[in-house]
Amino acid sequence: MESEYSPPTVWTNDEDSGGAWASINRPVSGATHDKALPVGVHPLQLYSLGTPNGQKVTIMLEELLALGVTEAEYDAHLINIGEGEQFSSGFVGINPNSKIPALVDQSGDTSIEVFESGAILLYLADKFGHLLPKDIAKRTTVLNWLFWLQGSAPYLGGGFGHFYAYAPAKFEYPINRFTMEVKRQLDLLDKQLAVNKFIAGDEYSIADIAIWSWYGNVVLGKAYDAAEFLDVASYKHLLRWAEDIAERPAVQRGRIVNRTSGEEWEQVPERHSAADIDNVLKLKP
């Protein structure tokens, strides 16, 4: 056990102890600089980055397009959070919480601004009538799991992922604390998928999109390099589901939008037409 930390009477921000994201994390909200956001030609304008939260929305949009919903055409503009672009006046004007993703629907007479990834999934599902059942019981089950994800993923990303992969030093207590919770979550998902094809039953839904973007990426070894540490091979039903979802063409397309790392065929920094994704996918050996 490392030497015990004694909190001060009043906390102050020490950027030197903040690790990889110290330069952009801060204890106040609001814009740091004036900059307007770019606007494309499609009805939907997405401002995002290819993190799990960003992937939720781009996968959803690609699934809608695959279903023939042409009104779901979108421009995906890159927001480089490492450079603090989420603190521009334009982005804060859409999302005062300064977190990606944020969506502007300009298809009507008045633009509608939507932030928080779960809210965007729900908005798009309701707007276009897909990937969320109409039946009240089935719809409620999907929403149960969507909101479970929104409450659980911070333990996976901000908790486990931060202390295991990003913190400036590794400490046993926080890693053990968050690993315990993540393992419980993986076990929960595994048991749910032992008796269901998809997360909320027999139908693919926004619950699958939301949960796969976080937990699917982790168990497939695409996040935090922690698959072995978490013994993901022991969650056979969860792995089956994660692999099945990963084979969906819309998932393969959506997961690479607004991405700036990985192989060259996994990076589509900005998406303004289907060809932007098509051209990158052609690079895959």
Side-chain angles (χ1 to χ4, degrees):
M1 179 71 74
E2 296 292 326
S3 59
E4 186 173 347
Y5 168 67
S6 297
T9 302
V10 178
W11 180 86
T12 57
N13 186 25
D14 179 8
E15 291 190 1
D16 292 336
S17 66
W21 300 104
S23 64
I24 63 167
N25 289 332
R26 58 198 181 101
V28 295
S29 62
T32 60
H33 59 284
D34 289 327
K35 185 177 180 181
L37 292 174
V39 179
V41 300
H42 295 303
L44 301 175
Q45 300 295 302
L46 177 66
Y47 302 93
S48 191
L49 183 68
T51 66
N53 284 333
Q55 288 180 29
K56 294 178 196 176
V57 179
T58 48
I59 289 172
M60 176 66 171
L61 290 166
E62 291 297 324
E63 291 282 10
L64 290 168
L65 291 171
L67 289 168
V69 182
T70 58
E71 296 87 350
E73 268 294 349
Y74 67 103
D75 292 280
H77 307 277
L78 179 67
I79 299 296
N80 189 333
I81 64 174
E83 299 297 324
E85 293 179 355
Q86 71 275 32
F87 299 120
S88 72
S89 57
F91 191 86
V92 172
I94 297 172
N95 182 1
N97 194 41
S98 296
K99 302 288 185 181
I100 63 93
L103 179 77
V104 178
D105 181 356
Q106 53 185 20
S107 61
D109 294 335
T110 302
S111 293
I112 298 175
E113 299 164 353
V114 195
F115 65 89
E116 287 298 316
S117 56
I120 297 173
L121 291 182
L122 182 56
Y123 175 81
L124 293 172
D126 282 338
K127 177 181 176 68
F128 295 115
H130 290 286
L131 301 170
L132 182 60
K134 302 293 191 297
D135 175 81
I136 186 64
K138 292 181 178 180
R139 176 187 172 93
T140 299
T141 301
V142 170
L143 294 182
N144 286 342
W145 284 101
L146 175 64
F147 282 93
W148 173 87
L149 178 280
Q150 295 299 116
S152 297
Y155 287 97
L156 179 61
F160 173 79
H162 175 78
F163 286 106
Y164 182 80
Y166 299 133
K170 286 182 167 55
F171 296 103
E172 182 178 5
Y173 176 79
I175 291 176
N176 282 346
R177 168 65 182 89
F178 287 108
T179 299
M180 180 77 73
E181 176 61 15
V182 168
K183 294 279 286 182
R184 187 192 69 80
Q185 294 172 357
L186 296 177
D187 184 63
L188 172 66
L189 291 171
D190 193 61
K191 288 173 178 173
Q192 176 70 4
L193 290 162
V195 294
N196 293 283
K197 181 179 181 181
F198 297 108
I199 290 292
D202 295 331
E203 299 178 41
Y204 178 67
S205 72
I206 56 175
D208 296 283
I209 294 172
I211 294 171
W212 186 90
S213 297
W214 277 102
Y215 295 86
N217 274 316
V218 167
V219 301
L220 294 176
K222 299 181 183 296
Y224 308 135
D225 194 23
E228 183 177 7
F229 178 75
L230 293 169
D231 188 26
V232 300
S234 65
Y235 306 106
K236 60 180 182 178
H237 305 294
L238 176 57
L239 269 175
R240 181 271 306 165
W241 166 85
E243 290 167 352
D244 287 349
I245 301 299
E247 291 298 313
R248 296 179 67 89
V251 172
Q252 295 176 12
R253 297 174 68 84
R255 66 173 292 271
I256 66 175
V257 176
N258 291 144
R259 186 171 177 180
T260 58
S261 62
E263 303 291 348
E264 60 179 348
W265 58 85
E266 296 180 309
Q267 299 184 46
V268 182
E270 300 219 346
R271 187 268 189 207
H272 301 289
S273 72
D276 293 330
I277 302 175
D278 295 339
N279 292 336
V280 169
L281 289 176
K282 290 176 183 177
L283 301 175
K284 187 174 182 179

